[in-house]
Amino acid sequence: MIASASAKAPNEEARLPIAYTPTTLPVVVDEAKCIADKGCTVCVDVCPLDVLRISDLTGKAYMKYDECWYCMPCETDCPTGAVTVNIPYLLR
Amino acid sequence: MDDITDGLTEVSCDILVIGGGTAGPMAAYKAKRRNPQARVVLLEKANVKRSGAIAMGMDGLNNAVVPGYATPEQYTKEITIANDGICDQAPVFKYASRCFDIIQELDSFGIRFQKTENGDYDVKKVHHLGTYVLPMPNGDTVKRALYRQLRREQILISNRYMATRLLTGRDGEIAGAIAVNTRTAEFLVLRAKAVILCAGAAGRLGLPQSGYLWGTYENATNSGDGYAMAYHAGAGLANLECYQINPLIKDYNGPACAYVAGPFGAYTTNSEGRRFIECDYWSGQMMQEFYSELQSGKGPVFLKLNHLHSDTIGKIEAILHTVERPSRGRFHENRGTDYRERMVEMHISEIGFCSGHSASGVFVDEFARTTVTGLYAAGDMASVPHNYMLGAFTNGAVAGEHAAEFAAGRDLPDYDPSDVEQERARVLAPTRRDDGIPPNQIEYKARRMVNDYLQPPKVTAKMKLGQERLAEVREDLEGAMVARDAHELLRSLEVASILDCADMAAAASLFRTESRWGLYHYRVDHPEKNDADWFCHSILRKQDGRMMLEKRPVAPYIVPIEDEERSAYDRQRIRESA
Amino acid sequence: MSEPFEAFGDVEDLAADLASPDATVRRLAVMALAETSDWQAVPHLVAAIADAAPEVREQAARALGEFDGRAVGEALARAVTDSVAAVAAAAAESLAELRDADAGGALLALVAHPSPFVRTAILRGLKALQIEASLQPAITALSDVEPAVRVQAVGVIGYLKRQETLPALIGAARDGSAEVRLAAVKALSFADQSAEAAAAVSAALKDAAWEVRAAAAETLGRLGVSSASPALVAALADELWQVRQKALQNLGRLRAREALPAIIALLGDDNPSLRKDAAAALGEIADPASREALATRAQDADPDVRKTVAWALGRL
Ligand SMILES: Cc1cc2nc3c(=O)[nH]c(=O)nc-3n(C[C@H](O)[C@H](O)[C@H](O)COP(=O)(O)OP(=O)(O)OC[C@H]3O[C@@H](n4cnc5c(N)ncnc54)[C@H](O)[C@@H]3O)c2cc1C
Ligand code: SF4
Ligand code: SF4
């Protein structure tokens, strides 16, 4: 998925180039507890907004997109208690 | 994952259900039970396991008509009055007559409702009018229980496919739908004899005050796709000017929730700690009062619990912090708000379309049929007013059963392949650009315009300006939006629905030149209710490629409303505006 | 093209992973088996209840909550006695989900288990099954040393709604533990028109615990025994407004005319919730004698009071 982000990098003649604006992510995964490397994908499966992914690099779950309804299935359904949902900063 | 992949698959089924939140699973289940030979597909943008408004369950049924506590006649009457009389009663009465069976069926699925120490349903009285609240303190397992039933009935479940357009046959009858995989961008063409739309509310229409696109009242996956699809297929949509606006915990933007805390003795107050709501019904009128208080010197508005016993508050917390919107507890903790000490600041939500709490939606009759042959709708997006969760389940069941019978006597209609080609071109356009405007910015702008120009109080000149602004956003969407992976493509498709809904909201609001439903349709330049000209539904539809509106008479009442009952309600309004 | 429909895998294939040396893999296999919702998965899940790793047993105990029947009941009965608390807790939750009366036998065998945790969980499971056979054991359990067990025993009895259990429930309404008294007072609600029940519940209006007093007022309203009204009138002077409120509501329900003066006095209370319920009670009783008193509150500062007064006046 890292590759896909750069597959369509803005080209040089771009009239409407795109910025990478930073944002703080509400959902945090404790990598020591996450068992995605053994095949778990529960949080990625259940998230209604589809914003979690398993990292190719670490083999652990992480939040890829800051588009969270702070609804908590990811945290509730994680078998190992690895996920913490924080309230997104803008409405905290 | 997320790479854009070229691909198209075609599958056929008898009944296609779009949206696996609340109404959808029930529709699919009932269709299959009615005709076990039928091939039933349940298509869901997210994952049926945890999708929809009820992803984490609900803390109670708001509108349970349980024998011994309320009657279908009484319920129908109250809903009619709460909607200022603009109500086709047949579907409401049907819901009220069937919903107790559905409660028992849900119970048999393992969905737990609050019981008394004698094992009976513990229905709570909220006010003297009717008793309709049935708590479900362990409601967080609702989806798991539904999912289990779907698996056992061998419903074909397609997760992570977003339906984008309906397919119609030669005579305009339904022929299926087109969907896009949200992680690969591959296309799925689903041919079907009947389609049931259960895609939920249009929850990403207005922008929450926090400015966070996803901080909506509704489950943020519900971007109004169902309304847009129905519109483009030619179905009529009713009373879209009757917005949904809800009282919510400020900033958190979730319910507090009066239905949970109310029976325990909590209530809404102004900053002086006094009650101010005159209206007896959960309605636009109530929201008008809420809004006026917020705007007055007596705001802000609060939910008052601090007069309750600490033990009672402990019980309320145990519910509010585990089901429905469980992160409420975390929000309060961050701010150091303890229900025991401080009142909870409330605010009103952004606007949306949702019959769960108001009266708008794809027009349906008492069999959940839309105006397009073979197309059904149920839940928050269908026009049966004040549905809530049990309405979604019950009307989903009605739709599923009727659709199963309809499909049984039919051949699979043909669709026009050029429709699929056209849709592919529309969907993929943002992926063909190397640069442009990302969907999140288009969405932010469209929704900010909705707030600035379409939100009540509605002003004619402002709404017309809003239409111009929205048209400019549409040009950007069609000519410059860019999606760099399948996930962004999903978002870009959602923005298109949002913009369609915004256009519909503006057109419908301008059409009805009166005020009705309290705050939901308060038009500053037509401040009075005008029964002589507007005691009717407004129906919006696409005709010859254009949006048009017409009046439709309210069906004759089957449960008569005495003039006195209606005027008692009107008197309340007069006192309010005085 | 990825397959458009969810595939859940073959039960036997998934079960093969239960033999993995890696406990995490076994745990994931249990999760996948549960996901199939396929009854064929049950024997494998039952076997996993005996896994060496507690996290696998816990997962299996949770997974069995998705199924029902005798074999499931037996496996959960075993798991609820597990020495690892998390396993036992998961099993207890799943036990409460059982609905098939066939599961009852396995539960009944454990009603006298030495661990109070197990006894509580078992009775909680039996409550929902609503089987006759659990009546006697539940009555016996009313003298359990552990209050949590006695609470569940009251529940089992209350759910069965048998006239002959009244003495047992009345006894429980005088239990040493407030939780048990609370459950018993509520459970007595089914005894429509029973004077003995009403007498016991009236006594509970003077309970030391406010929630018991409030529940007693509620039960008296449900029982519909009019001789209980004087006790409810006395409760209008309770030190907690929550209890006074319940008393008001249930005097209305009983249409207790003799309570009129006491209710009218509360129309002037400082607490708007009490004023409102006083007006509502007067509306229920619908005695024209309260017209004048109600009329004095027609312009109350609280809108709920005003509305209720208007409604009540309309009923006189
Ligand atoms: C926060 C909150 C609290 C509430 N509290 C209560 C309560 O306490 N009691 C009560 O009775 N009611 C309550 N309601 C209302 C009730 O939950 C809803 O009315 C009901 O659940 C709506 O059901 P639905 O099936 O119409 O929509 P949903 O359950 O939202 O389902 C819609 C589904 O469609 C899917 N979808 C959307 N677009 C597409 C597409 N293009 N393709 C495929 N799938 C799509 C979505 O992912 C979603 O799963 C509450 C609602 C909310 C939001
Ligand atoms: S659910 Fe938990 S264990 Fe599984 S992938 Fe997500 S974080 Fe990791
Ligand atoms: S809180 Fe909800 S939206 Fe946010 S990551 Fe978790 S499941 Fe997804």
Side-chain angles (χ1 to χ4, degrees):
Chain A
M1 63 215 64
I2 304 287
S4 74
S6 58
K8 290 251 166 138
N11 68 29
E12 291 192 12
E13 298 131 293
R15 290 172 303 117
L16 293 165
I18 295 167
Y20 288 85
T21 308
T23 175
T24 164
L25 292 168
V27 172
V28 187
V29 174
D30 180 342
E31 295 197 350
K33 288 187 185 160
C34 176
I35 54 172
D37 48 349
K38 299 274 173 72
C40 182
T41 56
V42 168
C43 57
V44 179
D45 292 344
V46 296
C47 172
L49 275 303
D50 203 15
V51 297
L52 306 175
R53 291 290 181 268
I54 309 292
S55 161
D56 290 340
L57 295 176
T58 61
K60 306 289 181 179
Y62 75 109
M63 186 174 223
K64 184 173 175 190
Y65 306 94
D66 174 24
E67 302 165 342
C68 178
W69 193 46
Y70 40 104
C71 50
M72 306 216 344
C74 53
E75 179 176 319
T76 309
D77 293 349
C78 170
T80 63
V83 184
T84 305
V85 175
N86 297 306
I87 303 294
Y89 176 71
L90 288 183
L91 41 112
R92 201 172 292 162
Chain B
M1 217 191 271
D2 303 327
D3 287 341
I4 292 172
T5 316
D6 194 25
L8 185 145
T9 307
E10 182 176 300
V11 297
S12 298
C13 61
D14 296 293
I15 297 125
L16 167 65
V17 182
I18 299 177
T22 314
M26 199 57 156
Y29 174 80
K30 286 290 183 181
K32 187 78 182 177
R33 296 288 287 208
R34 180 56 60 100
N35 180 4
Q37 268 72 54
R39 216 170 126 83
V40 180
V41 172
L42 179 58
L43 187 89
E44 167 58 51
K45 188 199 253 183
N47 186 313
V48 178
K49 262 186 262 178
R50 284 289 192 191
S51 61
I54 60 167
M56 289 299 283
M58 282 296 149
D59 38 39
L61 300 173
N62 292 347
N63 55 342
V65 185
V66 176
Y69 292 91
T71 63
E73 286 78 11
Q74 187 184 8
Y75 177 80
T76 304
K77 207 182 254 189
E78 289 189 24
I79 294 296
T80 307
I81 295 175
N83 286 289
D84 278 2
I86 310 294
C87 173
D88 283 2
Q89 290 183 333
V92 176
F93 190 81
K94 182 153 193 181
Y95 157 77
S97 316
R98 266 206 79 176
C99 70
F100 186 59
D101 289 345
I102 298 287
I103 294 177
Q104 288 169 303
E105 192 157 11
L106 293 170
D107 196 336
S108 77
F109 291 173
I111 293 172
R112 287 167 291 171
F113 300 100
Q114 187 160 303
K115 302 245 172 104
T116 66
E117 273 312 300
N118 295 132
D120 303 318
Y121 295 119
D122 194 6
V123 182
K124 297 290 177 199
K125 199 172 176 69
V126 176
H127 53 57
H128 57 257
L129 285 168
T131 301
Y132 303 114
V133 173
L134 177 55
M136 36 197 313
N138 306 314
D140 53 319
T141 55
V142 173
K143 290 250 49 179
R144 189 145 41 92
L146 287 172
Y147 195 70
R148 195 154 65 219
Q149 296 304 321
L150 296 173
R151 292 286 306 128
R152 299 216 167 119
E153 291 300 326
Q154 306 196 329
I155 309 286
L156 296 166
I157 299 173
S158 266
N159 287 321
R160 304 290 172 197
Y161 276 95
M162 172 181 177
T164 65
R165 283 292 183 266
L166 297 171
L167 289 167
T168 44
R170 203 171 307 121
D171 303 317
E173 79 282 20
I174 206 73
I178 305 176
V180 179
N181 187 298
T182 65
R183 289 170 175 177
T184 66
E186 287 160 297
F187 284 79
L188 183 61
V189 173
L190 299 119
R191 299 183 60 187
K193 297 175 185 168
V195 174
I196 308 175
L197 279 173
C198 303
R204 260 155 66 201
L205 189 50
L207 185 65
Q209 297 232 324
S210 66
Y212 190 58
L213 289 174
W214 320 94
T216 46
Y217 165 67
E218 292 291 344
N219 185 323
T221 42
N222 292 339
S223 44
D225 310 333
Y227 298 80
M229 284 187 279
Y231 169 72
H232 290 293
L237 294 102
N239 304 322
L240 293 176
E241 64 279 16
C242 177
Y243 297 162
Q244 157 176 259
I245 302 169
N246 282 326
L248 303 175
I249 298 170
K250 185 167 179 304
D251 298 336
Y252 179 76
N253 222 27
C257 170
Y259 281 104
V260 174
F264 285 105
Y267 53 86
T268 307
T269 73
N270 56 25
S271 61
E272 295 165 358
R274 287 176 188 271
R275 288 193 179 97
F276 62 88
I277 292 176
E278 300 277 350
C279 178
D280 274 325
Y281 300 95
W282 184 279
S283 62
Q285 183 58 27
M286 181 182 277
M287 288 312 304
Q288 177 72 56
E289 292 169 11
F290 203 104
Y291 174 81
S292 304
E293 202 77 4
L294 278 174
Q295 301 298 314
S296 77
K298 291 183 187 156
V301 167
F302 295 92
L303 183 71
K304 183 170 162 57
L305 302 105
N306 55 5
H307 58 296
L308 301 179
H309 198 280
S310 174
D311 299 344
T312 309
I313 291 180
K315 274 187 213 140
I316 296 174
E317 282 173 337
I319 301 168
L320 291 183
H321 302 172
T322 49
V323 290
E324 195 179 282
R325 300 305 323 266
S327 57
R328 282 183 275 232
R330 244 158 248 194
F331 174 80
H332 292 314
E333 204 180 303
N334 280 331
R335 295 204 170 167
T337 310
D338 183 334
Y339 296 142
R340 287 167 189 78
E341 281 146 29
R342 272 208 266 161
M343 302 198 292
V344 180
E345 187 184 352
M346 303 290 290
H347 206 75
I348 57 176
S349 69
E350 66 282 358
I351 66 161
F353 295 152
C354 173
S355 66
H357 307 77
S358 75
S360 71
V362 175
F363 184 84
V364 292
D365 64 10
E366 68 269 35
F367 301 108
R369 289 182 293 200
T370 70
T371 57
V372 168
T373 307
L375 180 64
Y376 295 74
D380 281 351
M381 61 165 292
S383 65
V384 187
H386 286 75
N387 257 295
Y388 297 111
M389 172 173 45
L390 190 55
F393 281 130
T394 306
N395 297 326
V398 168
E401 286 167 357
H402 202 280
E405 287 185 1
F406 172 84
R410 252 176 103 77
D411 295 328
L412 206 55
D414 288 323
Y415 62 90
D416 181 351
S418 73
D419 288 346
V420 173
E421 272 328 298
Q422 229 176 2
E423 179 59 359
R424 271 181 93 165
R426 179 188 80 94
V427 167
L428 293 174
T431 69
R432 310 281 192 228
R433 300 185 183 106
D434 287 333
D435 65 3
I437 310 169
N440 62 330
Q441 274 188 307
I442 304 224
E443 178 170 344
Y444 187 90
K445 189 160 174 179
R447 292 171 61 188
R448 196 216 1 118
M449 296 299 177
V450 166
N451 282 19
D452 289 353
Y453 294 103
L454 303 184
Q455 184 170 267
K458 302 179 186 178
V459 179
T460 306
K462 270 174 75 178
M463 290 193 284
K464 289 188 169 160
L465 262 181
Q467 286 181 312
E468 287 176 31
R469 294 288 92 80
L470 288 167
E472 289 155 17
V473 176
R474 185 176 289 279
E475 276 175 32
D476 295 337
L477 181 145
E478 285 169 0
M481 183 163 61
V482 62
R484 297 164 302 175
D485 64 16
H487 185 82
E488 281 187 5
L489 183 61
L490 155 73
R491 297 293 176 234
S492 73
L493 290 165
E494 291 176 339
V495 196
S497 300
I498 292 167
L499 210 53
D500 284 346
C501 288
D503 285 348
M504 291 192 260
S509 294
L510 283 165
F511 181 63
R512 188 181 283 274
T513 49
E514 63 152 0
S515 286
R516 196 174 284 270
W517 303 298
L519 184 63
Y520 298 161
H521 185 61
Y522 173 43
R523 281 194 71 170
V524 179
D525 22 34
H526 301 279
E528 298 300 325
K529 188 163 87 174
N530 173 359
D531 275 339
D533 296 320
W534 289 103
F535 193 82
C536 59
H537 300 287
S538 76
I539 301 285
L540 178 152
R541 77 172 92 235
K542 187 174 173 180
Q543 210 168 48
D544 306 323
R546 297 194 45 207
M547 202 174 277
M548 57 85 74
L549 279 131
E550 66 197 4
K551 294 181 180 179
R552 179 186 174 113
V554 173
Y557 289 163
I558 51 178
V559 180
I561 310 282
E562 311 284 326
D563 274 354
E564 205 179 292
E565 291 169 285
R566 210 180 311 180
S567 61
Y569 187 60
D570 277 343
R571 269 202 305 281
Q572 273 170 19
R573 301 169 66 101
I574 292 157
R575 185 158 59 207
E576 168 58 27
S577 58
Chain C
M1 179 74 197
S2 38
E3 165 61 33
F5 304 122
E6 291 290 298
F8 294 86
D10 176 73
V11 165
E12 298 309 319
D13 286 351
L14 295 172
D17 270 353
L18 287 176
S20 163
D22 184 338
T24 302
V25 173
R26 298 202 299 280
R27 178 182 201 174
L28 289 166
V30 168
M31 288 162 59
L33 283 166
E35 189 102 308
T36 64
S37 300
D38 187 336
W39 293 96
Q40 315 259 345
V42 170
H44 299 295
L45 294 172
V46 166
I49 281 288
D51 195 280
E55 69 267 32
V56 180
R57 299 202 299 277
E58 180 188 340
Q59 202 71 50
R62 223 178 276 159
L64 284 169
E66 306 280 318
F67 300 89
D68 212 334
R70 180 190 299 255
V72 173
E74 282 165 2
L76 288 173
R78 202 167 347 135
V80 81
T81 64
D82 201 289
S83 59
V84 176
V87 180
E93 286 308 312
S94 293
L95 275 176
E97 298 294 328
L98 290 170
R99 292 289 177 275
D100 185 340
D102 270 359
L107 305 198
L108 283 165
L110 288 177
V111 277
H113 192 272
S115 148
F117 173 84
V118 174
R119 297 198 301 275
T120 309
I122 290 293
L123 285 167
R124 188 170 152 220
L126 285 170
K127 180 163 84 175
L129 295 183
Q130 282 175 283
I131 47 173
E132 209 66 8
S134 53
L135 195 54
Q136 263 322 308
I139 289 174
T140 310
L142 286 178
S143 21
D144 199 286
V145 288
E146 188 66 31
V149 176
R150 302 202 296 278
V151 168
Q152 293 303 332
V154 169
V156 173
I157 300 165
Y159 267 45
L160 288 166
K161 296 200 251 193
R162 302 284 295 268
Q163 214 59 35
E164 69 267 27
T165 60
L166 282 184
L169 287 174
I170 287 171
R174 294 190 210 103
D175 194 281
S177 148
E179 285 163 76
V180 180
R181 296 197 301 276
L182 180 62
V185 163
K186 289 182 175 172
L188 281 165
S189 298
F190 78 92
D192 201 27
Q193 300 297 336
S194 155
E196 331 154 58
V201 177
S202 297
L205 283 172
K206 301 199 191 72
D207 200 285
W210 77 271
E211 285 177 295
V212 177
R213 302 200 299 276
E218 181 88 31
T219 300
L220 287 174
R222 289 180 196 250
L223 290 176
V225 177
S226 53
S227 62
S229 307
L232 279 171
V233 171
L236 289 178
D238 196 280
E239 55 173 12
L240 268 188
W241 67 265
Q242 287 88 338
V243 179
R244 300 203 292 275
Q245 183 180 34
K246 285 282 178 217
L248 270 175
Q249 290 167 350
N250 289 287
L251 280 165
R253 208 159 166 174
L254 292 177
R255 311 247 150 97
R257 253 170 234 278
E258 66 269 37
L260 280 187
I263 297 175
I264 286 173
L266 284 169
L267 273 178
D269 200 278
D270 284 346
N271 182 334
S273 301
L274 288 184
R275 296 203 299 278
K276 173 185 159 187
D277 280 314
L282 293 175
E284 299 278 2
I285 298 168
D287 186 327
S290 54
R291 184 183 308 275
E292 216 171 300
L294 276 168
T296 63
R297 304 308 322 177
Q299 300 306 321
D300 197 284
D302 186 286
D304 272 19
V305 177
R306 288 199 301 276
K307 279 185 286 183
T308 313
V309 165
W311 170 82
L313 282 169
R315 285 181 49 103
L316 298 188

